[in-house]
Structure formats: structure tokens, C-alpha cells
Amino acid sequence: MNEQKPIHYFVCSKGSDSLGLTNATEDNTIVEYFDSEEDVDLAKFADIVKSKPNCVQKHFIVNKGNDYCAVETDSVENSYVFSVRLKYRIVSTLAAGTATIESFIEEDKRLENKLAKPERQPGFKLRDADGEIIPDGIKFALQILRDREEDENDEDEDETEGLSKEELLYYNKDWIGVNSFMNDGKDHFLCGNVDYHNSFECETIDDIVYLKHDGRYFYFDIDGETNDIFIGKAVPAKDQRVQIHYTDDSNICLTGWGGRVYVACEWVKCSYGAIGLDNREEQLRWGSPMKLRIVRL
């Protein structure tokens, strides 16, 4: 039984098909329809909501096609417009009382600071987490840092008994790997692996640091259908380059060259992570970039 009060939707009948009742946000709703833009009367909608004490009283939602607007019932001039991509998170938190219109407006302001800074650092050098420069050609692994690393000290001794020093270094950690399970002749691409790593190196050409694997360069296929990071034989053109950014804790994140969207890793299985640029609104707002630690080999 759902004990949370339903939130009230006012939906334009021309866009009513967009309100498919397919998730918890929409299943627990009260819906009333209006015919056209001229019928939007927020003060009237607020009075309707107030007359129904068994629904969420603080906010209501106005929906026209794929456009949504959250409105404060007691102050209808206080509203927040959002897209269908953000609907589930925004509507569910408003209904639960864990967010407000003001908090989403502040979140919009903070979003600018979450995006990567496109400026390139002059004389850039690749450095490990200790601040030491990684010379060209030196092999290293790229560890993906995620929440499960916090539990590494709780490892079962029986599971690690008998492992070599090198095996212990990689055990129960996540690493960048190269997906080579393709026979179509196309360049391979990066992925996330558990307990297994590939080796990488860097090469500096005209003061630009390129990441490489097995003599091939990281690049984005800007004409392709995916946002994966591929590895290829040719030095990438400017719009194909991968740019490296340092984090406050001396690890690195990746973007496209001059781009502001970070590369992310989505763990689609326990042992496989899909790596690529992720510019979905929900990822930009609430997701985290893939953070990498350089581990010398």
C-alpha cells in the first residue's frame, strides 16, 4: 500500500499521451485535463489542489506534451520548468517533500560548476596520484574509483589468501580495460573491468599528451553512433582528442577536447562498465564523472 499522498497533474489533452502511467511517479497521481494553452490558470489550479486535502498540497504539476512545470500551490509565481528526462526525480522528490522548487533552482546554479573547464593547461604533464610526472612510454594501469573501494579493508582473508603481491594490488578493484571481443575489423573501445587491467602509456606530441594502449591512441569517433572512447593507430584530429583533467585529489577525469561533459562509467553488469561521454540531463545533475587513478606498473 502506497502511504504517500498523490501529486496533482494538470495535463493538456493534446499531450495526454505523454503521461503514460508506467512508474511510481505517475501511478500515484491525480490527473485533470485542460484543452489548450488558453486554459492554463495557475491560480485556479491551486484552488483545485487546496480543495483536495488527500493529495500533495505544497506543489502541483502542469504538463504540456514533454514540457513540465512544478508550481508552488501557495505562491503560483514560484515555479520550475523541467524536461521529461528529469520528470521522475523531480516529481518524486517534490511529492515526498525531500526537495523544493528553490532547491532545484539552486541546483541549476551549481550545475555550471560541475561541468568541466574547457581551458587547456599550458605545459601539461601527466602525473600520478603522488604528483610524479609519468614520462612518455612508461606503462601504467588506470584504476576506476567508485564507492565499493571504501569497503576494501573489509576483504575476506580467505579470499585473498595465497594471492601474489601483484594479484593483491588488483584484487577487488575496478580498472579500465579494452574491449577486444570484436571480429568486424573496427577499432576496439574502452570498458570497465573488475580485477583485471590493461596497460597504458602516454605520448607527447606538440605539447599535447595522448593516452595510448599497445601503440594506439585514445580517440572519440565524432561521426559514430556512440560516445565510446576508441583506440586507433592514427594520431587523433583535434575534434577527436581526449582531454585529461586533474581532480582535487590528484586523480584524473576525461572529456572530449575542449568539452565540458565528463566521461562516465555505467556498470551495466557487476563486472562490466560501459565507458563514454554521458550528456544526459540526469547524469549532468546527479551523476558523477569517472575518476581514474594512475597506477604505475
Side-chain angles (χ1 to χ4, degrees), residues 213-231:
H213 166 69
D214 195 24
R216 293 173 290 171
Y217 300 86
F218 287 23
Y219 76 94
F220 290 106
D221 183 4
I222 58 173
D223 297 321
E225 298 180 355
T226 69
N227 292 321
D228 299 330
I229 297 179
F230 293 88
I231 54 172

PDB file of all heavy atoms in Angstrom, residues 213-231:
ATOM      1  N   HIS A 213      47.224   2.760 -25.820  1.00  0.00           N
ATOM      2  CA  HIS A 213      47.276   1.343 -25.434  1.00  0.00           C
ATOM      3  C   HIS A 213      47.869   0.559 -26.596  1.00  0.00           C
ATOM      4  O   HIS A 213      47.385   0.640 -27.731  1.00  0.00           O
ATOM      5  CB  HIS A 213      45.880   0.808 -25.114  1.00  0.00           C
ATOM      6  CG  HIS A 213      45.827  -0.697 -25.045  1.00  0.00           C
ATOM      7  ND1 HIS A 213      46.427  -1.420 -24.038  1.00  0.00           N
ATOM      8  CD2 HIS A 213      45.271  -1.618 -25.899  1.00  0.00           C
ATOM      9  CE1 HIS A 213      46.229  -2.707 -24.246  1.00  0.00           C
ATOM     10  NE2 HIS A 213      45.531  -2.853 -25.360  1.00  0.00           N
ATOM     11  N   ASP A 214      48.936  -0.167 -26.319  1.00  0.00           N
ATOM     12  CA  ASP A 214      49.549  -1.036 -27.328  1.00  0.00           C
ATOM     13  C   ASP A 214      49.870  -0.249 -28.610  1.00  0.00           C
ATOM     14  O   ASP A 214      49.634  -0.735 -29.728  1.00  0.00           O
ATOM     15  CB  ASP A 214      48.601  -2.202 -27.634  1.00  0.00           C
ATOM     16  CG  ASP A 214      49.297  -3.339 -28.377  1.00  0.00           C
ATOM     17  OD1 ASP A 214      50.533  -3.454 -28.262  1.00  0.00           O
ATOM     18  OD2 ASP A 214      48.596  -4.099 -29.078  1.00  0.00           O
ATOM     19  N   GLY A 215      50.391   0.961 -28.437  1.00  0.00           N
ATOM     20  CA  GLY A 215      50.795   1.778 -29.579  1.00  0.00           C
ATOM     21  C   GLY A 215      49.663   2.491 -30.292  1.00  0.00           C
ATOM     22  O   GLY A 215      49.878   3.178 -31.290  1.00  0.00           O
ATOM     23  N   ARG A 216      48.431   2.371 -29.786  1.00  0.00           N
ATOM     24  CA  ARG A 216      47.274   3.004 -30.420  1.00  0.00           C
ATOM     25  C   ARG A 216      46.701   4.085 -29.502  1.00  0.00           C
ATOM     26  O   ARG A 216      46.748   3.968 -28.289  1.00  0.00           O
ATOM     27  CB  ARG A 216      46.214   1.951 -30.758  1.00  0.00           C
ATOM     28  CG  ARG A 216      46.664   0.969 -31.841  1.00  0.00           C
ATOM     29  CD  ARG A 216      45.657  -0.151 -32.022  1.00  0.00           C
ATOM     30  NE  ARG A 216      45.639  -1.051 -30.866  1.00  0.00           N
ATOM     31  CZ  ARG A 216      44.738  -2.004 -30.690  1.00  0.00           C
ATOM     32  NH1 ARG A 216      43.775  -2.175 -31.587  1.00  0.00           N
ATOM     33  NH2 ARG A 216      44.782  -2.774 -29.630  1.00  0.00           N
ATOM     34  N   TYR A 217      46.107   5.098 -30.105  1.00  0.00           N
ATOM     35  CA  TYR A 217      45.700   6.312 -29.404  1.00  0.00           C
ATOM     36  C   TYR A 217      44.221   6.283 -29.000  1.00  0.00           C
ATOM     37  O   TYR A 217      43.363   5.798 -29.750  1.00  0.00           O
ATOM     38  CB  TYR A 217      45.921   7.537 -30.303  1.00  0.00           C
ATOM     39  CG  TYR A 217      47.351   7.742 -30.725  1.00  0.00           C
ATOM     40  CD1 TYR A 217      47.865   7.093 -31.848  1.00  0.00           C
ATOM     41  CD2 TYR A 217      48.188   8.595 -30.014  1.00  0.00           C
ATOM     42  CE1 TYR A 217      49.185   7.270 -32.247  1.00  0.00           C
ATOM     43  CE2 TYR A 217      49.506   8.788 -30.403  1.00  0.00           C
ATOM     44  CZ  TYR A 217      50.001   8.118 -31.513  1.00  0.00           C
ATOM     45  OH  TYR A 217      51.303   8.315 -31.904  1.00  0.00           O
ATOM     46  N   PHE A 218      43.940   6.838 -27.806  1.00  0.00           N
ATOM     47  CA  PHE A 218      42.556   7.062 -27.402  1.00  0.00           C
ATOM     48  C   PHE A 218      41.941   8.118 -28.330  1.00  0.00           C
ATOM     49  O   PHE A 218      42.570   9.136 -28.622  1.00  0.00           O
ATOM     50  CB  PHE A 218      42.480   7.605 -25.973  1.00  0.00           C
ATOM     51  CG  PHE A 218      42.781   6.615 -24.886  1.00  0.00           C
ATOM     52  CD1 PHE A 218      43.536   5.482 -25.106  1.00  0.00           C
ATOM     53  CD2 PHE A 218      42.310   6.848 -23.595  1.00  0.00           C
ATOM     54  CE1 PHE A 218      43.818   4.583 -24.087  1.00  0.00           C
ATOM     55  CE2 PHE A 218      42.577   5.967 -22.567  1.00  0.00           C
ATOM     56  CZ  PHE A 218      43.339   4.832 -22.808  1.00  0.00           C
ATOM     57  N   TYR A 219      40.680   7.900 -28.744  1.00  0.00           N
ATOM     58  CA  TYR A 219      40.000   8.933 -29.534  1.00  0.00           C
ATOM     59  C   TYR A 219      38.480   8.737 -29.455  1.00  0.00           C
ATOM     60  O   TYR A 219      37.991   7.656 -29.127  1.00  0.00           O
ATOM     61  CB  TYR A 219      40.466   8.903 -31.001  1.00  0.00           C
ATOM     62  CG  TYR A 219      39.891   7.771 -31.833  1.00  0.00           C
ATOM     63  CD1 TYR A 219      38.744   7.949 -32.604  1.00  0.00           C
ATOM     64  CD2 TYR A 219      40.500   6.510 -31.852  1.00  0.00           C
ATOM     65  CE1 TYR A 219      38.216   6.919 -33.369  1.00  0.00           C
ATOM     66  CE2 TYR A 219      39.984   5.480 -32.612  1.00  0.00           C
ATOM     67  CZ  TYR A 219      38.843   5.690 -33.368  1.00  0.00           C
ATOM     68  OH  TYR A 219      38.300   4.671 -34.111  1.00  0.00           O
ATOM     69  N   PHE A 220      37.768   9.817 -29.781  1.00  0.00           N
ATOM     70  CA  PHE A 220      36.314   9.770 -29.911  1.00  0.00           C
ATOM     71  C   PHE A 220      35.961   9.716 -31.394  1.00  0.00           C
ATOM     72  O   PHE A 220      36.529  10.462 -32.208  1.00  0.00           O
ATOM     73  CB  PHE A 220      35.655  11.010 -29.291  1.00  0.00           C
ATOM     74  CG  PHE A 220      35.723  11.052 -27.796  1.00  0.00           C
ATOM     75  CD1 PHE A 220      36.596  11.919 -27.163  1.00  0.00           C
ATOM     76  CD2 PHE A 220      34.920  10.240 -27.023  1.00  0.00           C
ATOM     77  CE1 PHE A 220      36.664  11.976 -25.785  1.00  0.00           C
ATOM     78  CE2 PHE A 220      34.986  10.277 -25.638  1.00  0.00           C
ATOM     79  CZ  PHE A 220      35.860  11.152 -25.022  1.00  0.00           C
ATOM     80  N   ASP A 221      35.015   8.854 -31.739  1.00  0.00           N
ATOM     81  CA  ASP A 221      34.520   8.783 -33.114  1.00  0.00           C
ATOM     82  C   ASP A 221      33.357   9.759 -33.244  1.00  0.00           C
ATOM     83  O   ASP A 221      32.208   9.417 -32.960  1.00  0.00           O
ATOM     84  CB  ASP A 221      34.072   7.358 -33.444  1.00  0.00           C
ATOM     85  CG  ASP A 221      33.609   7.209 -34.880  1.00  0.00           C
ATOM     86  OD1 ASP A 221      33.708   8.201 -35.639  1.00  0.00           O
ATOM     87  OD2 ASP A 221      33.136   6.113 -35.242  1.00  0.00           O
ATOM     88  N   ILE A 222      33.669  10.992 -33.660  1.00  0.00           N
ATOM     89  CA  ILE A 222      32.638  12.045 -33.665  1.00  0.00           C
ATOM     90  C   ILE A 222      31.554  11.792 -34.701  1.00  0.00           C
ATOM     91  O   ILE A 222      30.461  12.356 -34.623  1.00  0.00           O
ATOM     92  CB  ILE A 222      33.270  13.428 -33.897  1.00  0.00           C
ATOM     93  CG1 ILE A 222      34.036  13.441 -35.232  1.00  0.00           C
ATOM     94  CG2 ILE A 222      34.195  13.798 -32.747  1.00  0.00           C
ATOM     95  CD1 ILE A 222      34.540  14.820 -35.612  1.00  0.00           C
ATOM     96  N   ASP A 223      31.826  10.939 -35.685  1.00  0.00           N
ATOM     97  CA  ASP A 223      30.832  10.623 -36.708  1.00  0.00           C
ATOM     98  C   ASP A 223      30.096   9.315 -36.404  1.00  0.00           C
ATOM     99  O   ASP A 223      29.241   8.898 -37.183  1.00  0.00           O
ATOM    100  CB  ASP A 223      31.499  10.519 -38.085  1.00  0.00           C
ATOM    101  CG  ASP A 223      32.116  11.838 -38.535  1.00  0.00           C
ATOM    102  OD1 ASP A 223      31.497  12.879 -38.280  1.00  0.00           O
ATOM    103  OD2 ASP A 223      33.219  11.810 -39.117  1.00  0.00           O
ATOM    104  N   GLY A 224      30.453   8.700 -35.301  1.00  0.00           N
ATOM    105  CA  GLY A 224      29.852   7.413 -34.956  1.00  0.00           C
ATOM    106  C   GLY A 224      28.539   7.563 -34.211  1.00  0.00           C
ATOM    107  O   GLY A 224      28.068   8.668 -33.919  1.00  0.00           O
ATOM    108  N   GLU A 225      27.957   6.437 -33.867  1.00  0.00           N
ATOM    109  CA  GLU A 225      26.660   6.418 -33.195  1.00  0.00           C
ATOM    110  C   GLU A 225      26.791   6.337 -31.685  1.00  0.00           C
ATOM    111  O   GLU A 225      25.791   6.441 -30.975  1.00  0.00           O
ATOM    112  CB  GLU A 225      25.833   5.228 -33.699  1.00  0.00           C
ATOM    113  CG  GLU A 225      25.519   5.289 -35.199  1.00  0.00           C
ATOM    114  CD  GLU A 225      24.711   4.096 -35.658  1.00  0.00           C
ATOM    115  OE1 GLU A 225      24.494   3.183 -34.830  1.00  0.00           O
ATOM    116  OE2 GLU A 225      24.303   4.077 -36.832  1.00  0.00           O
ATOM    117  N   THR A 226      27.994   6.148 -31.175  1.00  0.00           N
ATOM    118  CA  THR A 226      28.185   6.025 -29.734  1.00  0.00           C
ATOM    119  C   THR A 226      29.178   7.068 -29.244  1.00  0.00           C
ATOM    120  O   THR A 226      29.891   7.694 -30.030  1.00  0.00           O
ATOM    121  CB  THR A 226      28.715   4.625 -29.356  1.00  0.00           C
ATOM    122  OG1 THR A 226      30.066   4.485 -29.839  1.00  0.00           O
ATOM    123  CG2 THR A 226      27.848   3.540 -29.968  1.00  0.00           C
ATOM    124  N   ASN A 227      29.230   7.251 -27.935  1.00  0.00           N
ATOM    125  CA  ASN A 227      30.164   8.183 -27.305  1.00  0.00           C
ATOM    126  C   ASN A 227      31.316   7.452 -26.636  1.00  0.00           C
ATOM    127  O   ASN A 227      31.917   7.945 -25.693  1.00  0.00           O
ATOM    128  CB  ASN A 227      29.423   9.044 -26.279  1.00  0.00           C
ATOM    129  CG  ASN A 227      28.439   9.992 -26.935  1.00  0.00           C
ATOM    130  OD1 ASN A 227      28.719  10.549 -27.985  1.00  0.00           O
ATOM    131  ND2 ASN A 227      27.276  10.170 -26.310  1.00  0.00           N
ATOM    132  N   ASP A 228      31.615   6.243 -27.106  1.00  0.00           N
ATOM    133  CA  ASP A 228      32.694   5.449 -26.537  1.00  0.00           C
ATOM    134  C   ASP A 228      34.054   6.088 -26.806  1.00  0.00           C
ATOM    135  O   ASP A 228      34.215   6.912 -27.714  1.00  0.00           O
ATOM    136  CB  ASP A 228      32.704   4.040 -27.160  1.00  0.00           C
ATOM    137  CG  ASP A 228      31.411   3.280 -26.908  1.00  0.00           C
ATOM    138  OD1 ASP A 228      30.782   3.528 -25.865  1.00  0.00           O
ATOM    139  OD2 ASP A 228      31.045   2.446 -27.752  1.00  0.00           O
ATOM    140  N   ILE A 229      35.042   5.673 -26.009  1.00  0.00           N
ATOM    141  CA  ILE A 229      36.435   6.010 -26.300  1.00  0.00           C
ATOM    142  C   ILE A 229      37.051   4.824 -27.030  1.00  0.00           C
ATOM    143  O   ILE A 229      37.097   3.711 -26.498  1.00  0.00           O
ATOM    144  CB  ILE A 229      37.231   6.314 -25.024  1.00  0.00           C
ATOM    145  CG1 ILE A 229      36.661   7.543 -24.310  1.00  0.00           C
ATOM    146  CG2 ILE A 229      38.707   6.547 -25.361  1.00  0.00           C
ATOM    147  CD1 ILE A 229      37.390   7.895 -23.018  1.00  0.00           C
ATOM    148  N   PHE A 230      37.508   5.059 -28.253  1.00  0.00           N
ATOM    149  CA  PHE A 230      38.116   4.024 -29.060  1.00  0.00           C
ATOM    150  C   PHE A 230      39.635   4.139 -28.994  1.00  0.00           C
ATOM    151  O   PHE A 230      40.177   5.131 -28.507  1.00  0.00           O
ATOM    152  CB  PHE A 230      37.654   4.145 -30.520  1.00  0.00           C
ATOM    153  CG  PHE A 230      36.198   3.848 -30.728  1.00  0.00           C
ATOM    154  CD1 PHE A 230      35.239   4.851 -30.608  1.00  0.00           C
ATOM    155  CD2 PHE A 230      35.768   2.562 -31.041  1.00  0.00           C
ATOM    156  CE1 PHE A 230      33.894   4.586 -30.798  1.00  0.00           C
ATOM    157  CE2 PHE A 230      34.426   2.286 -31.233  1.00  0.00           C
ATOM    158  CZ  PHE A 230      33.487   3.296 -31.107  1.00  0.00           C
ATOM    159  N   ILE A 231      40.320   3.117 -29.500  1.00  0.00           N
ATOM    160  CA  ILE A 231      41.771   3.190 -29.658  1.00  0.00           C
ATOM    161  C   ILE A 231      42.087   2.886 -31.113  1.00  0.00           C
ATOM    162  O   ILE A 231      41.589   1.913 -31.681  1.00  0.00           O
ATOM    163  CB  ILE A 231      42.513   2.224 -28.709  1.00  0.00           C
ATOM    164  CG1 ILE A 231      42.001   0.790 -28.862  1.00  0.00           C
ATOM    165  CG2 ILE A 231      42.370   2.682 -27.264  1.00  0.00           C
ATOM    166  CD1 ILE A 231      42.827  -0.224 -28.092  1.00  0.00           C
TER     167      ILE A 231
END
